[in-house]
Amino acid sequence: MVWSADLKGKFSTSAAVERIRSREPKVNWPAYIWKPFLHPAIASNIWKLQQQIYVDDKVMIKNGFEVVSRCCICTAEQDCMEHTLWKCQFSINAWAWICSIFEFEIPQSFIDVCKLAHHKSPLSKEVWMIVACSIIKELWFQKNKKLFEEKSPQLNEFKRKIWQFVYEGGFRMKDTKWGQSYDQHIIDIFQLGVRQIKYSYIKECFWKAPDQNFILFCCDGSSFGNPGAAGFGIIARDSSCEVIGEMSGGVGTATNYIAEILAVIYALEWAFVLKAQKVIIRSDSKTVINDFCNDCVPWMFRARWLNAKQNSENIIFQHCFREVNFSADDLAKRGAGLRAGERIIHNGRPSFLKGVEMLNIVYYRIC
C-alpha cells in the first residue's frame, strides 16, 4: 500500500506520502491571500479569520458561557464575527464606499470577495485584494479597539487607513493594467503612479493537412470538473483532408489529463483497425504531446501504448491550438455524456459537427 507508484509509474517518497496522508477538503481561498503584493501582517490576519482562530460572543456562548451579547459598534444584533465583517452598519458603509469605487456589488462573504474581480485586469485584481483584505482586517481591529480601548470607529479615519494600505502596497505590485479608463480610474484614486500596460493581440493560426500517405487523428479530451464526467473525441482524416470517420467515448469520472491520454490511445488503436501504418496524432494539450514524445505515459495505459506503438510504422505527434481543434473538442464534450467505456463511431462526416477545418482558412487566437 505504501510503495505505490504515482501516475507516471515512478516510485518515490512523495508518492508514498501522497498515498498515506490524511486528506482534508480542499479550499481555494489561501491562493488569494499568500501573495507577494499583500503584506504578511494582513494576510496572516485574514488566515486567522478564515480558520476561525478568534473569540467572539458566539464562540463563548457555544463554549458554555452565559453572556448578554450585542455588537459593540452598532448594538443592533448579537456579537459574532460574521456580523462584524458583513452585516454591521459600519461595515456596510465601508463596503459600500469601496464597492462604489470598483463598481462591484457589496460582498457577503470572503468567497464573494475572491470572485468579484475575476474579470478585471491583473493590476485591478491586486488592488482589490489589498483593499478587501485590509477592510476585513481593520473591521476586526476596530471591534477590539471599541471593546478594550473604548475608541469608537470613525468612517473617515477608517477610509484613510485603507487608502494608506493600498498606497504602500502599490510598491509591491508588479502586474500590468489594461488600456482602459477603468484601470486608470483606480490608479488615480489610490495614487499608484505609472503602471505598465499589457495589450492583447490576435494571432493567426492555420489548420494543416496531413502529409501524403499519413492518416491524421485530431484528438481532444474534456471533463466537466477536474475530476468530473469526462469524455474524448477523435476525428480521422486522410491526406486529401477527407474525413474517414469520427469517434466519441465516455471515460467516467476522471481528470482532463486522463481524458486527453485516452483520446490518443484510442486513436492509435483505431489506426490499427484502419490498417494505417503512418499516423499523425494532433492534440491541443502540450503536456500530453510531450509525455508521449518522451515515452512517459501513465502506468495504467502503458501496455496499450506499447502495443499500439508496435503496430504502427511511424507515429508523429503534433501540438495545435485549441481554436483549430474545435470539432474534436465538440466530440469530446459529447463523449462526456456517455457511460464509461461506451464509444460511438461514425464512418464519414457526421451531420452534427460544428464545422470543417479547411486549408487556406485563417483562424484567430487572442493572446
Side-chain angles (χ1 to χ4, degrees), residues 23-248:
R23 293 175 175 82
E24 296 182 356
K26 186 177 181 180
V27 292
N28 297 322
W29 59 263
Y32 291 91
I33 64 172
W34 301 119
K35 296 290 187 179
F37 61 83
L38 197 60
H39 195 279
I42 298 176
S44 60
N45 281 291
I46 298 300
W47 179 84
K48 293 176 184 177
L49 290 172
Q50 289 301 111
Q51 296 283 28
Q52 299 182 358
I53 305 176
Y54 56 80
V55 176
D56 56 14
D57 288 356
K58 186 176 180 180
V59 174
M60 294 181 65
I61 293 173
K62 184 178 178 181
N63 292 335
F65 292 90
E66 295 183 2
V67 294
V68 177
S69 175
R70 65 176 181 177
C71 177
C72 62
I73 298 177
C74 68
T75 68
E77 294 185 20
Q78 178 185 0
D79 173 68
C80 67
M81 192 59 67
E82 182 179 0
H83 171 78
T84 302
L85 298 181
W86 314 108
K87 299 179 181 179
C88 179
Q89 188 59 48
F90 184 85
S91 64
I92 291 175
N93 294 337
W95 286 116
W97 161 68
I98 200 63
C99 289
S100 64
I101 296 175
F102 284 86
E103 301 176 3
F104 292 160
E105 296 181 356
I106 297 178
Q108 300 299 320
S109 64
F110 189 71
I111 297 177
D112 293 343
V113 168
C114 297
K115 292 180 179 179
L116 284 174
H118 73 278
H119 59 289
K120 299 299 181 182
S121 68
L123 178 65
S124 295
K125 291 178 182 179
E126 288 187 348
V127 177
W128 168 251
M129 287 307 300
I130 291 179
V131 167
C133 292
S134 299
I135 288 178
I136 294 174
K137 174 243 183 184
E138 281 301 310
L139 287 172
W140 184 18
F141 281 29
Q142 290 285 353
K143 171 190 169 182
N144 292 338
K145 287 183 179 180
K146 177 63 177 178
L147 283 175
F148 303 111
E149 301 178 15
E150 297 184 357
K151 291 183 179 180
S152 299
Q154 299 294 328
L155 187 59
N156 289 334
E157 180 66 17
F158 186 88
K159 293 179 181 179
R160 187 195 66 80
K161 286 186 177 181
I162 300 303
W163 185 92
Q164 186 68 24
F165 284 138
V166 179
Y167 176 76
E168 293 173 354
F171 296 99
R172 295 186 294 270
M173 296 181 190
K174 302 298 181 183
D175 274 332
T176 57
K177 66 177 182 178
W178 294 341
Q180 297 178 348
S181 59
Y182 178 88
D183 292 338
Q184 192 59 44
H185 172 67
I186 301 298
I187 292 172
D188 293 340
I189 287 179
F190 296 102
Q191 299 181 9
L192 299 178
V194 179
R195 296 288 165 171
Q196 294 181 347
I197 300 178
K198 181 180 180 180
Y199 290 99
S200 299
Y201 65 95
I202 298 177
K203 184 176 182 179
E204 294 182 354
C205 50
F206 300 87
W207 187 86
K208 297 181 180 179
D211 297 334
Q212 192 68 29
N213 300 325
F214 276 84
I215 301 296
L216 171 64
F217 292 89
C218 295
C219 309
D220 198 12
S222 177
S223 64
F224 295 94
N226 202 22
F232 64 88
I234 308 167
I235 300 177
R237 291 182 175 87
D238 58 19
S239 56
S240 61
C241 299
E242 292 294 329
V243 176
I244 300 174
E246 58 84 21
M247 176 192 299
S248 59

Side-chain angles (χ1 to χ4, degrees), residues 271-296:
F272 177 72
V273 175
L274 296 176
K275 298 180 180 180
Q277 294 297 314
K278 297 182 179 181
V279 177
I280 298 176
I281 301 295
R282 188 175 294 172
S283 173
D284 55 31
S285 175
K286 187 172 292 187
T287 301
V288 170
I289 293 298
N290 291 336
D291 286 348
F292 275 98
C293 290
N294 297 326
D295 200 20
C296 188

